[in-house]
């Protein structure tokens, strides 16, 4: 295609292909949250200890994030549709193993396989969207639909899973995804084209190992420190991960066929979009954690009520994903994203005024506005990352976009969760009522959850004297996190507005693409029509 030739418009077949890609995307979102519903039954039905329950919960996310970079590159090498088919088949088998697991060890192993299979879905679906849709307007709409489907999976997955748990055994929640995966296996070869790099080079197993050690160690270390507080072992593991990451990056600069093409980061559009996605998902992850705790421990909601309180925010994000591409057809993406981030920052600034006595509606509405305003960063950012990469590198770019969101969320849970805990500890220390034993005071100073448990064993008067300042201290932590988020997103809005101003509206003619991969820019690519 010459510079003066308009990109081909997608037809009915391409939109049906997008519908096929929506199936595994929906399931991927469901399985991030669905086990939370079944955890209470794991102990009684499988005899799972608390540690085993945590491993069953965390191993999926650990391995999904750990294998993202590897799977993005594998898709570019062997073919993106082929990788998707392998991933869907593996995901279905692993889901069945989870559903009918006969011991905690089998469940943990099946969840591990589920995470590895899940790591194939994001990079392959995102890169195939870039292959299916060449017209910038249609690309923006398609990526927006992808983001909306993912958000809907996060909203309705727990609802569907909860309904299944009222009728069937705990493992039934894992069967939700099996029909979707089977449908993808049947329809994928018919509606999805194959695409792979014509000169893939040799896989570097050392880079694969280093990337896994780096990502798994850092994520495990961060999550453990955030959940359990200071732990020397977890800190050492995180440091080992950082060292492995440095060695991995240096290796990518010296080998002829790198697992991760670092030249992608030299592309201003890709680098800026990934930074924005990381920042927004970090704020979102930290805020969601504190909101869930606020609803349950400050306002006394049940787990179900707290979950339902998050639904308006998820729906706000869904609407934002749908609206953002339409706005980006008329206005520069930098303008749409920056205004959205400023709107989210302004809302966070308002949330610094939330109180311990009447903040429920405040937070529900505020979170919905933040999700709506932040959706352009997540949705358009993904579009810009994937479409700014050379065709033969779209799988790698898609894995980077998903990893920015995954790692940002984990970082938010750790950093902002720790900040909220620090504010709580500092404020509650001087406001405990007299009459508490040293042991009770220590538990109350550790967390609001601890104070709530301790209050259950106190007299009504002493329990109230403890819970009132404890809830106010926790709310102060929410206020500080909201303030930090407001500043970070405002800064990111300025960065996006400055560094992405060269990107034209999707409906306008785009300037020549920035170089992103000098080492194999002339490598041929192989694209095949769906059979």
């Amino acid at each position: 295609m010459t510079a003066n030739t308009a990109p081909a418009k997608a037809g009915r077949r391409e939109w049906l292909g997008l519908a096929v890609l929506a199936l595994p995307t929906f399931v991927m979102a469901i399985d991030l949250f669905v086990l939370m519903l079944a955890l209470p039954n794991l102990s009684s039905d499988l005899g799972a200890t608390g540690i085993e329950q945590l491993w069953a919960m965390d191993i999926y996310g650990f391995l999904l994030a750990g294998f993202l970079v590897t799977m993005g590159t594998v898709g570019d090498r062997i073919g993106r549709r082929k990788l998707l088919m392998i991933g869907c088949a593996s995901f279905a088998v692993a889901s069945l193993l989870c559903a009918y697991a006969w011991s905690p060890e089998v469940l943990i192993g099946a969840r591990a396989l589920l995470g590895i299979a899940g790591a194939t879905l994001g990079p392959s679906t995102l890169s195939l969207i870039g292959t299916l849709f060449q017209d910038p307007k249609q690309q923006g709409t398609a990526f927006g639909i992808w983001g909306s489907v993912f958000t809907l999976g996060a909203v309705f997955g727990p609802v569907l899973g909860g309904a299944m748990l009222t009728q069937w055994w705990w493992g039934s929640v894992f069967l939700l995804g099996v029909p979707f995966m089977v449908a993808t296996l049947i329809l994928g070869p018919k509606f999805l084209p194959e695409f792979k790099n014509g000169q893939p080079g040799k896989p570097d197993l050392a880079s694969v190992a280093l990337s896994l050690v780096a990502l798994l160690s850092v994520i495990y270390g961060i999550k453990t420190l955030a959940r359990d507080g200071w732990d020397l072992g977890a800190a050492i593991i995180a440091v080992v991960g950082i060292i492995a990451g440095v060695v991995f990056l240096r290796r990518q600069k010296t080998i002829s066929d790198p697992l991760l093409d670092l030249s992608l980061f030299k592309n201003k559009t890709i680098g800026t979009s990934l930074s924005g996605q990381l920042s927004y998902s970090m704020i979102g992850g930290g805020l969601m954690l504190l909101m869930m705790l606020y609803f349950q421990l400050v306002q006394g909601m049940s787990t179900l009520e707290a979950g339902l309180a998050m639904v308006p925010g998820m729906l706000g994000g869904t609407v934002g994903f749908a609206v953002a591409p339409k706005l980006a057809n008329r206005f520069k993406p930098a303008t749409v994203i920056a205004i959205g981030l400023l709107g989210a920052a302004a809302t966070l600034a308002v949330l610094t005024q939330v109180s311990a006595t009447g903040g429920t509606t405040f937070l529900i509405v505020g979170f919905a506005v933040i999700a709506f305003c932040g959706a352009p960063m997540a949705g358009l950012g993904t579009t810009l990352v994937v479409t700014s990469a050379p065709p033969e590198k779209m799988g790698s770019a898609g894995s980077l976009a998903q990893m920015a969101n995954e790692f940002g969320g984990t970082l938010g849970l750790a950093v902002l969760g720790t900040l909220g805990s620090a504010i709580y500890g500092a404020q509650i220390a001087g406001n405990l009522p007299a009459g508490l034993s040293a042991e009770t005071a220590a538990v109350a100073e550790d967390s609001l959850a601890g104070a709530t448990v301790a209050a259950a064993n106190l007299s009504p008067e002493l329990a109230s004297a403890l819970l009132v300042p404890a809830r106010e201290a926790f709310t102060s932590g929410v206020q500080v996190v909201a303030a930090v988020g407001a500043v970070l997103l405002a800064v990111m809005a300025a960065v996006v507005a400055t560094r992405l101003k060269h990107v034209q509206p999707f409906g306008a003619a785009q300037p020549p693409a920035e170089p992103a991969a000098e080492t194999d820019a002339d490598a041929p690519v192989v694209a095949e029509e769906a059979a």
Side-chain angles (χ1 to χ4, degrees):
M1 185 176 68
T2 65
N4 296 323
T5 303
K9 291 276 190 179
R12 178 174 175 270
R13 186 184 191 87
E14 286 74 23
W15 290 107
L16 288 173
L18 178 63
V20 174
L21 294 176
L23 299 175
T25 301
F26 186 78
V27 175
M28 182 170 55
I30 288 176
D31 272 74
L32 285 172
F33 305 100
V34 74
L35 189 59
M36 293 181 184
L37 300 168
L39 279 178
N41 299 312
L42 292 184
S43 178
S44 58
D45 292 357
L46 285 184
T49 65
I51 296 296
E52 288 170 335
Q53 290 181 47
L54 288 175
W55 271 108
M57 184 71 212
D58 289 343
I59 194 68
Y60 174 78
F62 285 165
L63 291 183
L64 188 151
F67 274 91
L68 276 174
V69 171
T70 299
M71 292 304 179
T73 304
V74 168
D76 290 335
R77 293 173 184 268
I78 71 170
R80 294 160 188 170
R81 185 181 69 186
K82 184 177 183 179
L83 179 66
L84 179 62
M85 297 298 102
I86 293 172
C88 287
S90 302
F91 202 98
V93 171
S95 295
L96 291 172
L97 282 174
C98 287
Y100 296 102
W102 55 89
S103 71
E105 293 79 11
V106 172
L107 177 61
I108 292 170
R111 285 281 288 175
L113 177 59
L114 206 62
I116 297 172
T120 69
L121 304 181
S124 55
T125 53
L126 287 170
S127 56
L128 280 170
I129 290 174
T131 302
L132 284 167
F133 299 92
Q134 302 299 314
D135 178 73
K137 277 188 177 182
Q138 293 182 325
Q139 276 183 343
T141 300
F143 281 111
I145 291 173
W146 185 92
S148 296
V149 169
F150 188 91
T151 306
L152 287 173
V155 172
F156 293 109
V159 176
L160 294 173
M164 295 180 73
L165 285 174
T166 62
Q167 300 293 325
W168 297 294
W169 84 111
W170 65 267
S172 64
V173 295
F174 292 106
L175 299 179
L176 267 173
V178 175
F180 291 88
M181 293 304 178
V182 172
T184 305
L185 289 169
I186 295 172
L187 299 173
K190 181 176 179 61
F191 293 107
L192 299 176
E194 184 57 285
F195 191 102
K196 60 184 176 181
N197 190 341
Q199 291 184 349
K202 296 180 180 179
D204 182 50
L205 297 181
S207 292
V208 172
L210 284 169
S211 71
L212 290 176
V213 171
L215 288 169
L216 292 177
S217 299
V218 170
I219 292 173
Y220 173 80
I222 289 175
K223 281 196 170 186
T224 302
L225 291 169
R227 183 177 59 217
D228 303 331
W230 171 252
D231 179 87
L232 180 60
I236 292 174
I237 290 174
V239 171
V240 169
I242 293 172
I243 294 172
V246 172
V247 175
F248 169 79
L249 293 175
R250 289 187 174 180
R251 182 173 180 82
Q252 303 315 292
K253 296 179 180 179
T254 60
I255 58 178
S256 58
D257 296 308
L259 179 68
L260 177 62
D261 188 352
L262 298 182
S263 64
L264 289 172
F265 292 98
K266 296 178 182 179
N267 182 302
K268 187 164 60 174
T269 302
I270 293 176
T272 303
S273 298
L274 289 175
S275 299
Q277 288 180 301
L278 182 72
S279 300
Y280 175 68
S281 59
M282 185 178 79
I283 299 303
L287 183 63
M288 286 180 67
L289 169 67
L290 293 178
M291 283 178 61
M292 288 292 287
L293 293 174
Y294 177 91
F295 289 146
Q296 294 178 74
L297 299 178
V298 177
Q299 297 298 329
M301 291 184 177
S302 67
T303 303
L304 176 59
E305 290 171 336
L308 291 174
M310 305 297 288
V311 170
M314 298 295 189
L315 294 178
T318 302
V319 175
F321 274 114
V323 171
K326 298 182 184 301
L327 293 174
N329 287 335
R330 298 186 58 189
F331 308 102
K332 287 185 176 183
T335 302
V336 178
I337 295 172
I339 291 176
L341 289 176
L342 286 176
T347 306
L348 284 167
V350 174
L351 292 185
T352 60
Q353 305 304 307
V354 68
S355 70
T357 55
T360 302
T361 302
F362 211 43
L363 281 175
I364 291 174
V365 175
F367 182 56
V369 175
I370 292 169
F372 174 80
C373 291
M377 182 71 263
L380 298 181
T382 298
T383 303
L384 293 173
V385 169
V386 176
T387 58
S388 296
E392 69 275 10
K393 296 293 182 182
M394 280 185 175
S396 298
S399 70
L400 290 175
Q402 191 178 2
M403 191 170 68
N405 289 321
E406 294 281 344
F407 193 70
T410 299
L411 201 61
L413 292 174
V415 175
L416 298 182
T418 301
L419 175 61
S421 296
I423 298 299
Y424 170 85
Q427 184 165 326
I428 192 63
N431 291 286
L432 291 174
L436 295 179
S437 67
E439 181 181 357
T440 300
V443 170
E445 288 180 353
D446 182 61
S447 67
L448 178 57
T452 303
V453 171
N457 299 315
L458 302 175
S459 66
E461 295 79 10
L462 191 55
S464 177
L466 169 61
L467 288 177
V468 168
R471 288 167 176 166
E472 290 177 349
F474 183 86
T475 303
S476 295
V478 176
Q479 294 169 348
V480 172
V481 167
V484 170
V487 172
L488 179 59
L489 292 188
V491 170
M492 203 64 236
V495 171
V496 167
T498 303
R499 291 182 58 82
L500 294 183
K501 63 182 180 181
H502 63 283
V503 182
Q504 299 301 308
F506 292 160
Q510 298 291 325
E514 300 173 61
E518 298 175 2
T519 56
D520 59 356
D522 298 324
V525 294
V526 178
E528 304 169 8
E529 289 295 328

